[in-house]
Short mmCIF file of all heavy atoms in Angstrom, two decimals:
data_model
loop_
_atom_site.label_atom_id
_atom_site.label_comp_id
_atom_site.label_asym_id
_atom_site.label_seq_id
_atom_site.Cartn_x
_atom_site.Cartn_y
_atom_site.Cartn_z
N GLU A 1100 -29.28 157.06 -29.23
CA GLU A 1100 -28.54 155.91 -29.73
C GLU A 1100 -27.89 155.11 -28.60
O GLU A 1100 -27.84 153.88 -28.62
CB GLU A 1100 -27.47 156.36 -30.73
CG GLU A 1100 -28.01 156.85 -32.06
CD GLU A 1100 -28.62 158.24 -31.99
OE1 GLU A 1100 -28.53 158.87 -30.92
OE2 GLU A 1100 -29.18 158.69 -33.01
N ILE A 1101 -27.39 155.84 -27.57
CA ILE A 1101 -26.77 155.14 -26.44
C ILE A 1101 -27.80 154.32 -25.69
O ILE A 1101 -27.54 153.18 -25.26
CB ILE A 1101 -26.10 156.17 -25.51
CG1 ILE A 1101 -24.91 156.84 -26.22
CG2 ILE A 1101 -25.63 155.51 -24.21
CD1 ILE A 1101 -24.28 157.96 -25.43
N ALA A 1102 -29.00 154.87 -25.52
CA ALA A 1102 -30.06 154.14 -24.82
C ALA A 1102 -30.47 152.88 -25.59
O ALA A 1102 -30.87 151.88 -24.98
CB ALA A 1102 -31.27 155.04 -24.61
N VAL A 1103 -30.38 152.92 -26.92
CA VAL A 1103 -30.71 151.74 -27.73
C VAL A 1103 -29.62 150.69 -27.62
O VAL A 1103 -29.88 149.50 -27.42
CB VAL A 1103 -30.94 152.14 -29.20
CG1 VAL A 1103 -31.08 150.91 -30.08
CG2 VAL A 1103 -32.19 153.01 -29.32
N LEU A 1104 -28.36 151.12 -27.73
CA LEU A 1104 -27.25 150.17 -27.69
C LEU A 1104 -27.01 149.64 -26.29
O LEU A 1104 -26.62 148.46 -26.12
CB LEU A 1104 -25.98 150.84 -28.22
CG LEU A 1104 -26.00 151.26 -29.69
CD1 LEU A 1104 -24.73 152.01 -30.06
CD2 LEU A 1104 -26.18 150.06 -30.60
N LEU A 1105 -27.24 150.48 -25.28
CA LEU A 1105 -27.02 150.08 -23.89
C LEU A 1105 -28.30 150.35 -23.11
O LEU A 1105 -28.43 151.37 -22.44
CB LEU A 1105 -25.84 150.85 -23.28
CG LEU A 1105 -24.48 150.70 -24.01
CD1 LEU A 1105 -23.47 151.66 -23.43
CD2 LEU A 1105 -23.99 149.26 -23.91
N PRO A 1106 -29.29 149.46 -23.19
CA PRO A 1106 -30.58 149.72 -22.52
C PRO A 1106 -30.45 149.97 -21.03
O PRO A 1106 -31.27 150.68 -20.45
CB PRO A 1106 -31.37 148.44 -22.81
CG PRO A 1106 -30.71 147.83 -24.01
CD PRO A 1106 -29.28 148.18 -23.90
N GLU A 1107 -29.42 149.40 -20.39
CA GLU A 1107 -29.28 149.59 -18.95
C GLU A 1107 -28.95 151.03 -18.58
O GLU A 1107 -29.09 151.43 -17.41
CB GLU A 1107 -28.19 148.66 -18.39
CG GLU A 1107 -26.80 148.89 -18.96
CD GLU A 1107 -26.54 148.15 -20.27
OE1 GLU A 1107 -27.52 147.63 -20.85
OE2 GLU A 1107 -25.38 148.10 -20.67
N THR A 1108 -28.53 151.83 -19.56
CA THR A 1108 -28.22 153.24 -19.27
C THR A 1108 -29.44 154.15 -19.38
O THR A 1108 -29.35 155.33 -19.03
CB THR A 1108 -27.14 153.76 -20.24
OG1 THR A 1108 -27.64 153.72 -21.59
CG2 THR A 1108 -25.87 152.90 -20.16
N ARG A 1109 -30.57 153.64 -19.86
CA ARG A 1109 -31.74 154.49 -20.08
C ARG A 1109 -32.22 155.17 -18.79
O ARG A 1109 -32.51 156.37 -18.81
CB ARG A 1109 -32.89 153.69 -20.71
CG ARG A 1109 -34.18 154.46 -20.86
CD ARG A 1109 -35.19 153.71 -21.68
NE ARG A 1109 -34.82 153.76 -23.09
CZ ARG A 1109 -35.14 154.77 -23.89
NH1 ARG A 1109 -35.83 155.81 -23.43
NH2 ARG A 1109 -34.79 154.75 -25.15
N PRO A 1110 -32.31 154.47 -17.64
CA PRO A 1110 -32.75 155.17 -16.44
C PRO A 1110 -31.84 156.34 -16.05
O PRO A 1110 -32.32 157.40 -15.63
CB PRO A 1110 -32.74 154.09 -15.36
CG PRO A 1110 -32.86 152.80 -16.12
CD PRO A 1110 -32.13 153.03 -17.39
N TYR A 1111 -30.54 156.16 -16.22
CA TYR A 1111 -29.60 157.23 -15.87
C TYR A 1111 -29.71 158.39 -16.86
O TYR A 1111 -29.65 159.56 -16.47
CB TYR A 1111 -28.18 156.68 -15.84
CG TYR A 1111 -28.01 155.50 -14.91
CD1 TYR A 1111 -27.97 154.20 -15.41
CD2 TYR A 1111 -27.92 155.68 -13.54
CE1 TYR A 1111 -27.82 153.12 -14.57
CE2 TYR A 1111 -27.77 154.59 -12.68
CZ TYR A 1111 -27.71 153.31 -13.20
OH TYR A 1111 -27.58 152.24 -12.36
N LEU A 1112 -29.87 158.06 -18.14
CA LEU A 1112 -30.02 159.11 -19.14
C LEU A 1112 -31.33 159.86 -18.93
O LEU A 1112 -31.39 161.09 -19.11
CB LEU A 1112 -29.96 158.50 -20.55
CG LEU A 1112 -28.62 157.90 -20.96
CD1 LEU A 1112 -28.75 157.18 -22.30
CD2 LEU A 1112 -27.55 158.96 -21.04
N ALA A 1113 -32.38 159.13 -18.58
CA ALA A 1113 -33.66 159.78 -18.33
C ALA A 1113 -33.57 160.72 -17.13
O ALA A 1113 -34.12 161.83 -17.15
CB ALA A 1113 -34.75 158.73 -18.11
N ALA A 1114 -32.88 160.28 -16.07
CA ALA A 1114 -32.71 161.14 -14.90
C ALA A 1114 -31.90 162.38 -15.24
O ALA A 1114 -32.21 163.49 -14.79
CB ALA A 1114 -32.04 160.35 -13.78
N ALA A 1115 -30.85 162.21 -16.07
CA ALA A 1115 -30.04 163.36 -16.47
C ALA A 1115 -30.85 164.33 -17.32
O ALA A 1115 -30.75 165.55 -17.17
CB ALA A 1115 -28.80 162.89 -17.23
N CYS A 1116 -31.69 163.78 -18.22
CA CYS A 1116 -32.52 164.65 -19.05
C CYS A 1116 -33.56 165.39 -18.22
O CYS A 1116 -33.91 166.52 -18.53
CB CYS A 1116 -33.19 163.82 -20.15
SG CYS A 1116 -32.13 163.47 -21.57
#
Side-chain angles (χ1 to χ4, degrees):
E1100 289 76 6
I1101 293 174
V1103 172
L1104 296 176
L1105 302 171
E1107 61 275 12
T1108 63
R1109 175 171 286 276
Y1111 304 101
L1112 294 173
C1116 279

